[in-house]
Amino acid sequence: MRVRIMIISMIVVIMTFISIGVTSSGEQLKEKQEMNEKAVIIEVKGNPKDHQLFLENHYPSIQVVAVYTELFNGLALKGDKRQLERMGSLEFVKTVHSVHKYETTTNQLNQPNDKNAIFPFDLNNTTYTGKGVKVGVIDTGIDYNHPDLQTNYKSGYDVVDLDNDPMETKPQQGKPTLHGTHVAGIIAANGNLKGVAPDAELYGYRALGPGGSGTSVQVIAAMEQAIKDDVDIINLSLGNQVNGPDYPTSVAVNKAAELGVAVVIANGNAGPGGWTVGSPATANHALSVGAASHQQQVPYLYARWEDKRISIQEMAGAPSWLLDTFYPIKHANKGANVKGKIALFQRDETPFVEKVEQAQAAGAKAVIIANNEEGPLHGDVSTAKNAVQIPVATISKQDGAWLEEYLQSDRLHLDTKYENKASSIAPFSSRGPVTINWNIKPDVVAPGTNIVSTVPGGYQALQGTSMAAPHVSGVIALIKEARPEWTNQQIYGAIKTTALRMEVNQKPLHPTIQGMGLIQPKEAIEAGTIIDDPQLTFGKVQGNSEVKNEQIIIENRTKEEQTYYFDIPCKQRGISWNLPQAVTIPANEKKQLSIGARITSQQLEEGVHQGWLTLKQSSTVHHLPYLFVNQNADNPKAMGFEFALEPLSNDTFSYHYYMTEPATKVQVNLYDPDTLVFDRQLIEDTDVAVGMNEGELNARKVGKAGFYYAVVSVELNTGENASYETMVYVPPK
């Protein structure tokens, strides 16, 4: 406990040392050369090794840094910008990917406090430590100088700068990062703080650059490097918004799994809506992880004289809401005296950071920001110039209106009170299912809120499925140490079979929210029964009546024969189950069972149908989730639209988007982001395929640069129309 208190009380100090001196003419020449140098990754047709020889013979000034052959065909190149510009015209080059092109993202940050903080090693209820297991962390890099990571860090690679130094982005390189260091600490920190598997070996791969973003090809290249380094486990606490099984990163994950690497992926933080899990967590052979919230004390505001309760959502990047008494609340108009008070703001065009900095400078005790639209409001003030020192929270539009009306006629004091909140699934945790193949995701859930781990310069509490995934990577390291003879398929099966199904008010949460449930390391290691692929996906029903079948394999790992049987499900209109009779499996043997369902479409509502089947074995109960789609669902039809200037071009733009259903036409129209007035049509495609669609535009057709509100409109084969909105930046030529 003393160690925990010490870590919690530490202030994270990130110091940047700048050396100033006289530069020699040789050093100046070297710096000039480095400024003109560029790094790219190219995808090629044919054998990359043959093209390596061609480039070395015909372009000796270009350095071939890496050759990729396992997960995709490509080469990583470094050289003079003008030389690299010629690569795009070579016949064997399919595409060129810049490795210095980023979009800034932010982390969900909370300062650690001992009330709700969770420590990674708490999950390890075994005698194992992951000794001898190699874990690759593909992320923003690792601060391998951190005292809790130095011992276990072995090696790595930087796919952003194409060198052997996978250090986190430092301030002088762009927006600094800390995400990968936090992930690595959850897996295998071994110092004042202990990870889930404190003796596992860490390999770091920097695939995400300044601000924590990068391209899919960088992620794939990092995975390939990890495979070359012979890692046992790859952790990917990253993803995008494309909910499809065949996005390039998902395909690469499946290939890595086929090569014998266990791949663990964060499910995403786009919840609580359905269809929000993104690639590569959508991959069939990945272990996709959602975030469970632990039992905790949650603050809320209370107006004692009015008996009014106001729920709050703590904002990322600010201290936890731990006010010790009741305080007056004051609307934070310009010039308002908010010293010693809670400052109330309405959400508008002014950034959250500016509001908080204004209130903090005026001496406010805390800040609350009322939403101006329905639904929850999540925010982040970690980008403030000076660290935020006061609590910041958001409230609903309705509660904001109540406060506004009350404060016009009277003064008001607010108490901070707390309620005990039971363990559940974090609201931000992305939900399934996956489009096209309708698979259930996540596979399992793990602790993902208020997780204390390592960051450059100290420790910090973060939350997200990014924190849940490394818990599972650590658990797999424990299992690999304890059961070295098990295949990855057996490990996945043991984790899923022994996961604890989560319930709220004695009702199980949907499979697309929790997968198989909360991981249990000790139970997985000691599993007497392993069900291979226990998630039952019956696909889409399009006829009037269809029979769907799924296969499972039950492995009896005990020394005695075991008998298994299904409970007969409650009768449900439109579904008739065909479940196997009781089956006895001898010791250390397997048996395949067929599970069937006759689905009468007309007797059921359209959409996603999901639930649980119960398999019993003596006193043990196994819950098997099932899912099917009747006729149609409310899944997104198009997603993932991206538009950019080609890396080595001044007049060619490329775009791509992902389709989940057949369509006859896709249009992308641009609108002014402030007035929403139509500006122009950017794209009209009539040759549209299910999956990834790509194209190019000449600069003359693209039009003027700037930020635009884009509407992607889809005309489906069925005659229906669908659309979605996104922001698009047209860069200057």
Side-chain angles (χ1 to χ4, degrees):
M1 186 62 186
R2 292 180 61 189
V3 172
R4 294 187 178 194
I5 294 172
M6 179 181 70
I7 292 172
I8 289 171
S9 64
M10 289 188 65
I11 299 175
V12 178
V13 179
I14 302 175
M15 301 185 67
T16 305
F17 295 90
I18 304 174
S19 59
I20 302 174
V22 179
T23 306
S24 68
S25 58
E27 289 173 332
Q28 289 176 338
L29 179 61
K30 183 179 179 182
E31 288 178 2
K32 186 176 180 180
Q33 290 173 336
E34 288 176 348
M35 287 178 63
N36 290 325
E37 193 175 69
K38 190 176 179 68
V40 298
I41 296 175
I42 62 173
E43 289 186 75
V44 300
K45 307 170 189 173
N47 189 335
K49 293 182 179 178
D50 292 340
H51 303 317
Q52 176 188 11
L53 293 175
F54 175 85
L55 292 174
E56 289 172 346
N57 289 330
H58 294 83
Y59 296 89
S61 62
I62 292 178
Q63 180 187 2
V64 179
V65 181
V67 180
Y68 305 116
T69 59
E70 297 287 350
L71 304 181
F72 80 113
N73 282 357
L75 301 164
L77 309 176
K78 265 187 177 181
D80 181 82
K81 294 178 183 178
R82 289 170 297 179
Q83 288 284 326
L84 287 175
E85 285 173 2
R86 302 180 186 179
M87 296 300 99
S89 63
L90 295 176
E91 185 274 335
F92 60 80
V93 175
K94 290 174 64 178
T95 50
V96 180
H97 302 268
S98 171
V99 295
H100 286 296
K101 183 178 180 182
Y102 308 103
E103 295 178 359
T104 301
T105 59
T106 56
N107 297 305
Q108 299 187 48
L109 305 178
N110 291 299
Q111 291 187 2
N113 68 80
D114 57 356
K115 184 173 291 186
N116 291 323
I118 296 296
F119 291 80
F121 192 71
D122 288 348
L123 185 67
N124 187 345
N125 58 351
T126 77
T127 59
Y128 300 99
T129 59
K131 189 173 181 61
V133 181
K134 300 165 69 172
V135 185
V137 178
I138 296 177
D139 213 288
T140 60
I142 292 179
D143 178 10
Y144 45 76
N145 293 323
H146 194 291
D148 290 5
L149 300 176
Q150 279 181 330
T151 301
N152 290 359
Y153 176 79
K154 301 302 178 184
S155 182
Y157 191 76
D158 185 339
V159 182
V160 177
D161 295 330
L162 300 179
D163 58 39
N164 294 317
D165 183 17
M167 176 58 75
E168 296 269 13
T169 300
K170 296 181 179 179
Q172 62 267 32
Q173 298 173 303
K175 186 173 181 182
T177 57
L178 52 73
H179 190 272
T181 301
H182 197 274
V183 168
I186 294 172
I187 297 169
N190 196 357
N192 286 331
L193 183 137
K194 300 284 187 184
V196 176
D199 286 327
E201 299 175 4
L202 288 170
Y203 289 75
Y205 303 93
R206 182 172 177 251
L208 307 179
S213 290
T215 67
S216 59
V217 75
Q218 289 171 263
V219 174
I220 295 170
M223 290 174 62
E224 178 138 334
Q225 186 62 50
I227 288 170
K228 289 179 180 177
D229 292 339
D230 199 28
V231 302
D232 301 301
I233 304 163
I234 289 176
N235 187 95
L236 291 163
S237 286
L238 49 83
N240 62 23
Q241 301 299 314
V242 178
N243 179 277
D246 56 352
Y247 198 77
T249 46
S250 294
V251 173
V253 164
N254 288 334
K255 288 183 179 179
E258 290 168 6
L259 293 171
V261 180
V263 186
V264 180
I265 306 178
N267 219 48
N269 298 338
W275 313 100
T276 49
V277 54
S279 178
T282 53
N284 293 343
H285 301 311
L287 199 62
S288 306
V289 185
S293 61
H294 57 286
Q295 185 175 349
Q296 54 188 312
Q297 287 188 307
V298 178
Y300 66 93
L301 298 176
Y302 182 68
R304 63 171 72 172
W305 309 120
E306 290 72 27
D307 192 26
K308 169 71 174 177
R309 170 184 166 142
I310 299 173
S311 297
I312 64 174
Q313 175 73 44
E314 293 185 77
M315 190 169 282
S320 296
W321 194 285
L322 298 172
L323 300 188
D324 53 358
T325 184
F326 67 99
Y327 290 92
I329 182 169
K330 180 79 173 179
H331 197 289
N333 300 315
K334 287 187 177 179
N337 179 16
V338 295
K339 186 175 182 179
K341 303 179 178 68
I342 298 174
L344 170 66
F345 289 93
Q346 284 291 330
R347 181 187 184 186
D348 53 28
E349 299 82 15
T350 305
F352 298 142
V353 168
E354 290 185 23
K355 296 179 186 292
V356 174
E357 287 177 335
Q358 171 193 329
Q360 184 168 281
K365 198 71 179 177
V367 170
I368 56 176
I369 300 173
N371 202 357
N372 59 358
E373 57 187 47
E374 300 298 327
L377 171 60
H378 302 284
D380 190 332
V381 292
S382 61
T383 57
K385 293 179 181 177
N386 299 310
V388 175
Q389 303 293 334
I390 58 176
V392 183
T394 64
I395 61 175
S396 69
K397 179 181 179 180
Q398 291 79 6
D399 286 336
W402 184 86
L403 285 174
E404 286 275 357
E405 183 178 355
Y406 197 95
L407 290 174
Q408 288 178 6
S409 58
D410 208 344
R411 297 180 64 190
L412 186 66
H413 287 68
L414 296 176
D415 279 321
T416 295
K417 291 184 175 292
Y418 297 88
E419 66 174 340
N420 291 320
K421 191 172 182 181
S423 297
S424 186
I425 304 299
F428 58 77
S429 186
S430 291
R431 272 69 163 166
V434 180
T435 59
I436 299 178
N437 64 12
W438 319 112
N439 277 351
I440 296 171
K441 293 287 182 177
D443 294 297
V444 291
V445 294
T449 57
N450 298 313
I451 310 298
V452 178
S453 186
T454 49
V455 294
Y459 308 89
Q460 186 63 283
L462 306 189
Q463 59 183 15
T465 58
S466 284
M467 286 62 254
H471 278 87
V472 176
S473 292
V475 169
I476 292 178
L478 302 180
I479 299 173
K480 281 185 173 289
E481 179 194 0
R483 300 284 182 262
E485 75 282 2
W486 281 10
T487 65
N488 287 332
Q489 195 74 8
Q490 286 175 303
I491 292 173
Y492 286 6
I495 289 174
K496 293 179 183 182
T497 304
T498 59
L500 179 65
R501 186 178 70 169
M502 300 188 72
E503 300 179 352
V504 173
N505 298 325
Q506 298 183 327
K507 291 185 178 180
L509 296 171
H510 284 316
T512 52
I513 295 175
Q514 65 169 314
M516 295 295 297
L518 185 66
I519 57 170
Q520 301 190 99
K522 189 171 185 291
E523 287 79 358
I525 289 173
E526 297 175 354
T529 294
I530 295 178
I531 305 173
D532 183 21
D533 201 10
Q535 292 144 287
L536 306 171
T537 301
F538 293 105
K540 180 182 278 192
V541 177
Q542 295 178 304
N544 292 331
S545 180
E546 293 185 20
V547 175
K548 299 285 189 177
N549 287 287
E550 274 286 284
Q551 313 298 318
I552 63 170
I553 297 175
I554 300 178
E555 179 181 359
N556 173 17
R557 294 196 55 81
T558 70
K559 296 179 181 179
E560 299 176 354
E561 65 178 24
Q562 299 290 328
T563 299
Y564 303 85
Y565 62 96
F566 282 93
D567 270 358
I568 299 174
C570 295
K571 286 189 176 181
Q572 184 179 352
R573 190 168 181 263
I575 305 176
S576 177
W577 292 100
N578 181 18
L579 301 176
Q581 300 292 320
V583 58
T584 298
I585 303 177
N588 296 309
E589 289 193 15
K590 304 177 183 178
K591 190 172 184 65
Q592 180 172 290
L593 303 181
S594 180
I595 299 172
R598 177 176 290 278
I599 301 167
T600 305
S601 175
Q602 295 174 333
Q603 296 180 2
L604 294 168
E605 292 184 358
E606 284 193 357
V608 175
H609 292 260
Q610 55 183 317
W612 302 85
L613 297 178
T614 302
L615 177 67
K616 291 186 175 179
Q617 167 207 352
S618 185
S619 60
T620 303
V621 176
H622 304 287
H623 300 290
L624 278 60
Y626 70 84
L627 180 145
F628 65 88
V629 174
N630 186 31
Q631 299 296 328
N632 295 297
D634 60 350
N635 60 287
K637 315 304 182 194
M639 64 190 90
F641 177 74
E642 293 184 4
F643 177 82
L645 187 66
E646 284 284 87
L648 300 179
S649 173
N650 293 320
D651 60 0
T652 302
F653 291 80
S654 63
Y655 66 88
H656 66 253
Y657 55 88
Y658 189 90
M659 292 295 302
T660 64
E661 295 188 13
T664 56
K665 184 165 60 176
V666 171
Q667 292 180 326
V668 180
N669 294 320
L670 302 184
Y671 296 78
D672 184 286
D674 298 318
T675 63
L676 298 184
V677 172
F678 175 78
D679 188 278
R680 62 188 184 273
Q681 184 176 96
L682 182 66
I683 296 165
E684 181 174 87
D685 283 350
T686 54
D687 184 15
V688 184
V690 173
M692 186 68 72
N693 291 263
E694 300 175 314
E696 291 185 349
L697 291 174
N698 185 276
R700 286 174 297 179
K701 294 184 178 180
V702 169
K704 61 182 181 293
F707 284 95
Y708 294 92
Y709 181 76
V711 177
V712 182
S713 301
V714 178
E715 188 177 292
L716 298 172
N717 283 3
T718 59
E720 297 176 88
N721 293 306
S723 66
Y724 90 99
E725 300 81 38
T726 186
M727 291 300 296
V728 167
Y729 174 62
V730 177
K733 291 71 161 179

